[in-house]
Amino acid sequence: MNHIFTINPEKVRLSDMILPERIQQPINSLLQEYRYIDTLLKYKLPVTNKILFYGQSGCGKTMLARALSTELNKKMKVISLSNIVSSKLGETSRNIAAAFKIVENQEAILFLDEFDSLGKERDYDDTDNSEMKRVVNSIIQLIDALPQKCLLIAATNQINLIDKALVRRFETRLEFDLPTKDLLDDLYDSILSKFPTQYTSINRSYGLSFSEAKNSAIKQVKQNVIESELSKEENN
């Protein structure tokens, strides 16, 4: 059944990320809850264990999920949508249920990327969409039964497509916008600090996602290195 999941990439720490305060603060609160989870559960206090990340692509949703896996020392199971969605009647719901069961047994993190592909708004006037209605109903039931020591993280670029009953299941919903100029400068400074100063002269672009800005900076640093090596060869 592990074919349902994709392979996790290398670990990421929260300190590797640059987050706005409106995201950093609830993440810090979540980490504190899990630090004292046994005491909270002793008093029958619920722990935040269902989080929805939504907004711009390339702004850190997947990276933050990986960082939480590291900070909480929990395995993160990432669902492969291509493997879990089936054309066979009822098979998609069974695959999702199997994924939840594995996560429950391991007290792990379940990461559902591109969540809008699974949790689309139910259209009860669309008789051809009965399978998607079953999938959404199944996910709702599984989320409601999720044990407190498991963590569900869903991510989407299109929250407007997700069934509203599903959205309400998430106690914490965090929106990821394009980073501000100050946050991008922090990112550029962090990237450039790893290289000798002769390679760090770059044009800083703004109005980009973190991913786009990182790619732009690295590309320019590489070009600076190559031009420096070419200059050395010409002078020899």
Side-chain angles (χ1 to χ4, degrees), residues 55-99:
Q56 295 274 355
S57 177
C59 291
K61 297 187 290 295
T62 301
M63 190 174 180
L64 181 53
R66 289 163 54 194
L68 285 173
S69 172
T70 303
E71 301 301 329
L72 294 172
N73 195 27
K74 285 180 175 288
K75 292 181 180 179
M76 186 170 83
K77 297 293 188 178
V78 183
I79 279 190
S80 170
L81 293 178
S82 61
N83 290 337
I84 205 168
V85 175
S86 173
S87 59
K88 296 179 181 178
L89 190 64
E91 188 69 21
T92 298
S93 294
R94 285 191 289 272
N95 284 339
I96 296 171

Side-chain angles (χ1 to χ4, degrees), residues 1 27 52 54 63 67 115 128 131 173 177 193 204 210 223 235:
M1 192 57 69
I27 292 300
L52 179 63
Y54 67 97
M63 190 174 180
F115 189 50
D128 295 327
E131 176 67 3
R173 299 186 285 272
D177 292 326
S193 68
R204 299 188 176 202
F210 282 123
Q223 188 59 40
N235 293 328

Side-chain angles (χ1 to χ4, degrees), residues 111-124:
F111 182 55
L112 301 175
D113 202 2
E114 300 177 2
F115 189 50
D116 47 280
S117 298
L118 289 175
K120 288 183 179 177
E121 184 82 37
R122 290 166 291 183
D123 181 359
Y124 289 100

Side-chain angles (χ1 to χ4, degrees), residues 127-142:
T127 56
D128 295 327
N129 201 26
S130 56
E131 176 67 3
M132 182 53 66
K133 294 172 192 173
R134 279 191 290 269
V135 169
V136 172
N137 288 335
S138 176
I139 295 175
I140 287 174
Q141 293 170 10
L142 290 165

Side-chain angles (χ1 to χ4, degrees), residues 20-66:
E21 181 62 25
R22 60 181 179 77
I23 292 179
Q24 184 72 62
Q25 191 279 327
I27 292 300
N28 289 343
S29 295
L30 181 142
L31 292 174
Q32 285 185 334
E33 286 190 29
Y34 275 87
R35 181 180 179 184
Y36 301 107
I37 187 170
D38 290 332
T39 304
L40 293 174
L41 295 181
K42 174 184 174 181
Y43 292 105
K44 301 187 185 306
L45 291 168
V47 176
T48 300
N49 69 336
K50 295 175 281 289
I51 311 173
L52 179 63
F53 297 160
Y54 67 97
Q56 295 274 355
S57 177
C59 291
K61 297 187 290 295
T62 301
M63 190 174 180
L64 181 53
R66 289 163 54 194

